């Protein structure tokens, strides 16, 4: 028992020793078009890697030799945000409990970038495909190379890679805004040559400087700079003296702008002379997707004039280029950029038509009628409807009364009452009709079509029915059948923008059969159509158009004045039949690029 206890303690001890870091918390934030997942650790010794499962739309981060408390190893829902991440879960890998795995469930397959910061690892995920440039997530980069490219692109400020003199000098030679991180110095001089001021900064900062004679001849400057970074002071003096700087390691070569322009002209002339004597090289470029004739027109301006040639081999769909090495490199870059898959767009549409009919009939169908005949046989039927004042068949008095409007030969109308004859009360007919009918219908058509960028696609379905027609009369009558069609046609031309949005030129026409006026007549036909041009984000759904019809009608008749009496008016009018018909047509459309990554769609800005 004691031996087993010692072994268990040893296992726990070595298991804890195997852990190098602890995952303390997981933070999620959304910044514009980028979502960030931040893994915070208690140290910097983090081994993290990621891979993407496109089939299940997941990004998976594996952290080796890490532990985490239970409150961190949980899942949380991020679907309320508008970004690409809908759920995040963290757990220990079953096959290796010493590793922690974090799984991100995506709305769609987008690209991501893993970065390292002090005591943390940050995963940046684009909220729509195309936010990251291709260079940022190029396939050949390693994890450390991606971390080295962690630069704030939004601010567009050139930042030195480190605080070393070599990296600071490299940053100074770039154009645009710069961030200065050099050691702060103070310069207070009066009428001192620029060359001497530059030497003072070089001595204080530890880099070597070479200046041309034209710099020595520049007029002196008066400066009073207090506690400023030395690289900012150097950049300011270069601007005041209109100087140009080139770097070679920790050596800075400075020349005047005028002299540098002259030297550049000489270099260009020498380069042209060199191109005339430079040997030509032939290279064959295999073209997969682009139109070779269009590529020739694009590449020709970049070839060496008078020397470079380009030819087309249609059998192998190849371009044969003969030119200098530099020109061939240019042609290669152009072909790599343009020879990509054409975006293919899947357009899904749903046509929803909802109809609703409502009809109610309340009232006396045949009015209120009765008859009275004190002489005749009880049970004999009185066929007339109304109140008749006349001599009965047996000569006895009698009458019948009905509130239903009626008319007959020789009858005298009096507000809908007819006096015919006296008779014994024969029957009491009190027919009340209370009827309500309601009908709803929903017709859904869902045409789908896929096409290439800027290529028109047409999908059409046709329903056919027939009806009989008769020509001639008598024995010469001939009965034949004719056909009529109802079609659904979707014509769409997509155009994909560089940002990944889709412009759609749409023509949609839908026909459907209605009821037949008669058994021999052709059916009624309803037609709906939409013709429009819209811009929509990839994968988003839009409503192209909707038509809503509302119809309400109510008709009834009866005895004037009497039919309007509350409750009693039912006995003196036909049934009240309000009828409501509703009809609505809504068209939804969702375009989706199915090969966005292969087509090289990205935000080039």
């Amino acid at each position: 028992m004691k031996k087993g206890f010692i072994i268990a303690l040893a296992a726990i001890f070595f298991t804890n020793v195997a852990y190098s870091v602890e995952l303390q918390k997981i933070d999620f934030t959304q910044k514009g078009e980028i979502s960030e997942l931040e893994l915070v650790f208690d140290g910097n010794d983090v081994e993290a890697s990621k891979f993407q499962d496109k089939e299940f739309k997941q990004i998976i981060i594996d952290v080796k030799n890490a532990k985490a408390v239970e409150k961190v190893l949980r899942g949380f829902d991020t679907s309320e945000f508008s970004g690409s991440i809908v759920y995040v879960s963290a757990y220990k890998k079953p096959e290796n409990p010493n590793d922690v795995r974090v799984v991100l469930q995506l709305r769609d397959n987008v690209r991501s970038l893993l970065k390292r910061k002090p005591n943390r690892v940050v995963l940046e995920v684009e909220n729509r495909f195309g936010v990251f440039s291709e260079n940022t997530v190029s396939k050949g980069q390693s994890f450390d190379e991606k971390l080295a490219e962690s630069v704030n692109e939004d601010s567009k400020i050139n930042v030195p890679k480190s605080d070393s003199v070599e990296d600071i000098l490299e940053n100074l030679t770039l154009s645009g805004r710069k961030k200065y991180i050099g050691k702060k110095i103070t310069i207070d001089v009066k009428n001192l040559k620029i060359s001497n001021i530059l030497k003072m900064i070089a001595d204080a900062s530890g880099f070597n400087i070479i200046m041309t004679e034209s710099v020595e001849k520049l007029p002196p400057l008066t400066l009073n700079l207090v506690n400023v970074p030395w690289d900012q002071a150097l950049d300011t003096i270069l601007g005041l003296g209109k100087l140009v700087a080139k770097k070679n390691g920790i050596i800075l070569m400075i020349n005047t702008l005028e002299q540098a322009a002259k030297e550049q002209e000489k270099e260009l002339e020498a380069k042209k002379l060199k191109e005339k004597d430079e040997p030509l090289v032939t290279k064959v470029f295999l073209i997969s997707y682009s139109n070779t004739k269009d590529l020739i027109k694009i590449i020709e301006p970049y070839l060496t004039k008078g020397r470079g040639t380009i030819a087309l081999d249609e059998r192998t769909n190849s371009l044969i280029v003969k030119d200098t090495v530099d020109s061939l490199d240019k042609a290669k870059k152009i072909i790599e950029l343009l020879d990509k898959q054409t975006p293919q767009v899947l357009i899904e549409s749903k046509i929803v038509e909802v109809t609703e009919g409502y009809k109610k009939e309340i009232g006396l169908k045949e009015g209120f009628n009765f008859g009275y005949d004190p002489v005749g046989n009880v049970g004999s039927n009185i066929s007339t409807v109304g109140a008749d004042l006349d001599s009965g068949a047996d000569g006895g008095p009698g009458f019948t009364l009905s509130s239903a409007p009626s008319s007959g030969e020789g009858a005298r109308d009096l507000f809908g009452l007819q006096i015919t004859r006296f008779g014994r009360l024969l029957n009491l007919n009190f027919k009340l009709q209370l009827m309500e009918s309601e009908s709803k219908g929903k017709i859904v058509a869902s045409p789908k079509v896929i096409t290439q960028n800027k290529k028109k696609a047409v999908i059409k379905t046709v329903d056919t029915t027939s009806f009989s027609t008769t020509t001639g009369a008598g024995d010469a009558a001939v009965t034949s059948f004719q056909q009529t069609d109802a079609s659904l046609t979707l014509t769409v031309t997509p155009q994909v923008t560089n940002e990944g949005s889709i412009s759609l030129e749409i023509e949609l026409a839908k026909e459907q059969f209605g009821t037949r006026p008669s058994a021999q007549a052709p059916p009624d036909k309803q037609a709906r159509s939409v013709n429009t041009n819209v811009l929509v984000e990839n994968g988003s759904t839009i409503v192209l158009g909707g038509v809503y019809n509302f119809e309400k009608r109510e008709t009834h008749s009866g005895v004037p004045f009497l039919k309007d009496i509350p409750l009693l008016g039912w006995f003196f009018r036909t049934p009240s039949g309000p009828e409501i018909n509703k009809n609505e047509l809504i068209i939804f459309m969702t375009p989706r690029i199915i090969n966005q990554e292969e087509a090289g769609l990205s935000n080039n800005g």
Side-chain angles (χ1 to χ4, degrees):
M1 181 67 182
K2 186 179 294 184
K3 181 178 180 182
F5 179 72
I6 294 174
I7 294 175
L9 287 178
I12 295 174
F13 173 77
F14 286 112
T15 301
N16 292 332
V17 171
Y19 294 122
S20 59
V21 291
E22 179 181 353
L23 178 59
Q24 296 179 331
K25 65 176 180 176
I26 301 176
D27 291 335
F28 173 81
T29 56
Q30 184 171 323
K31 301 178 181 178
E33 293 188 332
I34 296 177
S35 296
E36 286 189 0
L37 189 75
E38 188 176 62
L39 310 180
V40 182
F41 300 90
D42 61 352
N44 289 324
D45 190 14
V46 180
E47 295 184 41
S49 60
K50 77 171 180 71
F51 64 93
Q52 188 163 354
D53 189 340
K54 292 186 178 180
E55 181 180 358
F56 296 99
K57 297 181 180 179
Q58 292 179 344
I59 297 177
I60 300 173
I61 304 174
D62 285 337
V63 183
K64 293 184 178 181
N65 299 328
K67 63 179 180 178
V69 296
E70 291 298 328
K71 67 177 183 179
V72 177
L73 298 178
R74 60 182 178 86
F76 54 92
D77 189 3
T78 59
S79 59
E80 294 184 359
F81 294 88
S82 60
S84 57
I85 303 175
V86 296
Y87 194 80
V88 179
S89 61
Y91 56 90
K92 293 183 179 180
K93 294 178 64 175
E95 64 274 14
N96 191 351
N98 292 344
D99 296 348
V100 174
R101 170 166 287 183
V102 182
V103 180
L104 289 77
Q105 187 63 49
L106 306 176
R107 284 191 171 92
D108 204 350
N109 283 319
V110 292
R111 295 176 294 186
S112 60
L113 183 64
L114 197 61
K115 297 182 178 180
R116 185 192 301 273
K117 293 183 179 180
N119 295 344
R120 64 197 63 198
V121 171
V122 179
L123 179 72
E124 292 184 355
V125 183
E126 55 184 5
N127 290 332
R128 62 174 180 83
F129 191 91
V131 174
F132 291 159
S133 64
E134 289 185 355
N135 294 333
T136 306
V137 287
S138 58
K139 296 181 180 179
Q141 285 181 314
S142 65
F143 177 67
D144 293 332
E145 287 173 335
K146 292 178 182 178
L147 300 179
E149 294 183 1
S150 177
V151 179
N152 188 356
E153 295 180 356
D154 294 335
S155 61
K156 294 182 180 180
I157 298 178
N158 298 319
V159 182
K161 295 180 181 179
S162 68
D163 57 357
S164 65
V165 174
E166 185 175 354
D167 289 337
I168 293 176
L169 293 178
E170 179 68 29
N171 188 59
L172 283 175
T173 59
L174 302 177
S175 59
R177 298 173 58 193
K178 306 177 183 66
K179 183 176 181 180
Y180 304 105
I181 62 173
K183 182 180 178 182
K184 295 183 178 181
I185 61 175
T186 298
I187 300 177
D188 187 7
V189 296
K190 185 176 181 181
N191 293 330
L192 188 64
K193 286 185 176 182
I194 292 180
S195 58
N196 293 333
I197 299 175
L198 293 175
K199 291 177 182 178
M200 291 173 55
I201 298 175
D203 293 339
S205 305
F207 65 90
N208 301 311
I209 188 170
I210 299 175
M211 293 175 285
T212 61
E213 294 183 0
S214 56
V215 178
E216 296 284 351
K217 298 178 182 179
L218 292 175
L221 290 177
T222 298
L223 293 176
N224 184 12
L225 303 177
V226 179
N227 202 25
V228 297
W230 66 263
D231 49 346
Q232 184 177 9
L234 178 58
D235 197 23
T236 301
I237 295 172
L238 293 176
L240 291 174
K242 296 182 179 180
L243 303 175
V244 178
K246 291 183 179 181
K247 185 190 80 72
N248 184 9
I250 59 172
I251 301 175
L252 193 65
M253 298 172 288
I254 299 178
N255 196 356
T256 60
L257 181 61
E258 182 180 359
Q259 187 66 26
K262 293 180 180 179
E263 293 179 358
Q264 189 175 6
E265 289 180 0
K266 293 180 180 179
E267 290 178 359
L268 291 175
E269 292 177 359
K271 186 177 180 181
K272 291 180 181 179
L273 294 174
K274 182 181 178 181
E275 287 179 351
K276 292 181 180 180
D277 300 330
E278 187 176 355
L280 301 180
V281 180
T282 302
K283 188 169 183 179
V284 178
F285 296 97
L286 300 177
I287 308 302
S288 300
Y289 308 104
S290 299
N291 187 305
T292 50
K293 294 182 179 179
D294 292 339
L295 274 180
I296 290 175
K297 297 178 181 179
I298 296 173
I299 296 173
E300 278 182 340
Y302 296 92
L303 300 180
T304 305
K305 292 183 180 180
R307 301 192 69 194
T309 60
I310 184 170
L312 167 64
D313 181 36
E314 294 185 356
R315 186 181 67 84
T316 59
N317 200 42
S318 304
L319 292 180
I320 305 169
V321 183
K322 183 178 182 181
D323 208 333
T324 62
V325 175
D326 291 340
S327 297
L328 288 178
D329 289 340
K330 294 177 183 178
K332 180 181 178 181
K333 292 178 180 179
I334 293 173
I335 292 173
E336 288 178 349
L337 182 63
L338 300 181
D339 187 30
K340 295 179 180 178
Q341 288 188 20
T342 302
Q344 295 194 97
V345 184
L346 173 66
I347 298 103
E348 301 179 76
S349 59
K350 291 187 181 294
I351 305 170
V352 181
E353 185 170 0
V354 181
T355 59
E356 181 178 347
Y358 182 82
K359 185 177 181 181
K360 181 184 294 185
E361 294 185 12
I362 300 177
L364 298 175
K365 188 175 183 181
E366 297 180 3
F368 172 77
N369 60 80
F370 67 89
Y372 176 76
D373 185 1
V375 180
N377 296 326
V378 176
S380 62
N381 231 350
I382 298 177
S383 58
T384 59
V385 180
D388 302 334
L389 179 60
D390 203 348
S391 58
D394 51 6
F399 73 91
T400 62
L401 173 67
S402 175
S403 65
S406 61
S407 60
E409 184 179 357
R412 295 184 294 272
D413 291 337
L414 179 63
F415 297 101
L417 275 76
Q418 289 185 338
I419 301 173
T420 57
R421 68 183 178 86
F422 287 101
R424 216 171 358 160
L425 184 62
L426 298 177
N427 58 26
L428 180 64
N429 187 0
F430 189 84
K431 295 183 178 179
L432 176 65
Q433 176 173 327
L434 178 61
M435 183 183 71
E436 182 177 347
S437 63
E438 186 174 1
S439 62
K440 295 182 180 180
K442 184 177 182 181
I443 302 172
V444 178
S446 183
K448 298 180 183 180
V449 65
I450 186 172
T451 182
Q452 288 188 347
N453 186 32
K454 297 183 180 182
K455 299 293 184 180
K456 180 186 291 187
V458 179
I459 184 172
K460 183 176 182 179
T461 61
V462 179
D463 292 333
T464 303
T465 188
S466 59
F467 60 94
S468 62
T469 58
T470 303
T471 58
D475 296 337
V478 177
T479 301
S480 61
F481 290 90
Q482 293 186 5
Q483 290 186 341
T484 181
D485 298 334
S487 63
L488 169 64
T489 305
L490 174 62
T491 303
V492 59
T493 305
Q495 180 176 348
V496 181
T497 66
N498 291 330
E499 291 78 16
S501 301
I502 306 170
S503 176
L504 296 175
E505 184 178 346
I506 302 164
E507 295 180 13
L508 179 64
K510 181 180 184 294
E511 297 177 338
Q512 68 183 43
F513 293 121
T515 58
R516 293 178 182 263
S518 64
Q520 305 298 325
D524 295 334
K525 190 183 295 185
Q526 297 177 347
R528 303 283 192 273
S529 64
V530 173
N531 191 337
T532 185
N533 197 312
V534 295
L535 179 67
V536 60
E537 292 291 335
N538 178 31
S540 299
T541 300
I542 60 170
V543 180
L544 291 182
V547 180
Y548 179 74
N549 295 325
F550 178 84
E551 182 181 359
K552 181 178 181 181
R553 65 165 66 98
E554 181 177 355
T555 58
H556 64 269
S557 61
V559 180
F561 304 111
L562 297 180
K563 68 181 179 62
D564 298 325
I565 299 175
L567 298 179
L568 294 178
W570 282 13
F571 299 106
F572 300 96
R573 68 185 180 193
T574 58
S576 175
E579 184 177 355
I580 297 175
N581 292 316
K582 300 177 183 179
N583 184 279
E584 187 172 7
L585 177 69
I586 304 174
I587 303 169
F588 301 91
M589 189 158 289
T590 304
R592 180 176 288 105
I593 305 172
I594 62 176
N595 62 335
Q596 52 187 1
E597 187 171 359
E598 291 81 0
L601 295 177
S602 62
N603 185 4
N604 296 326

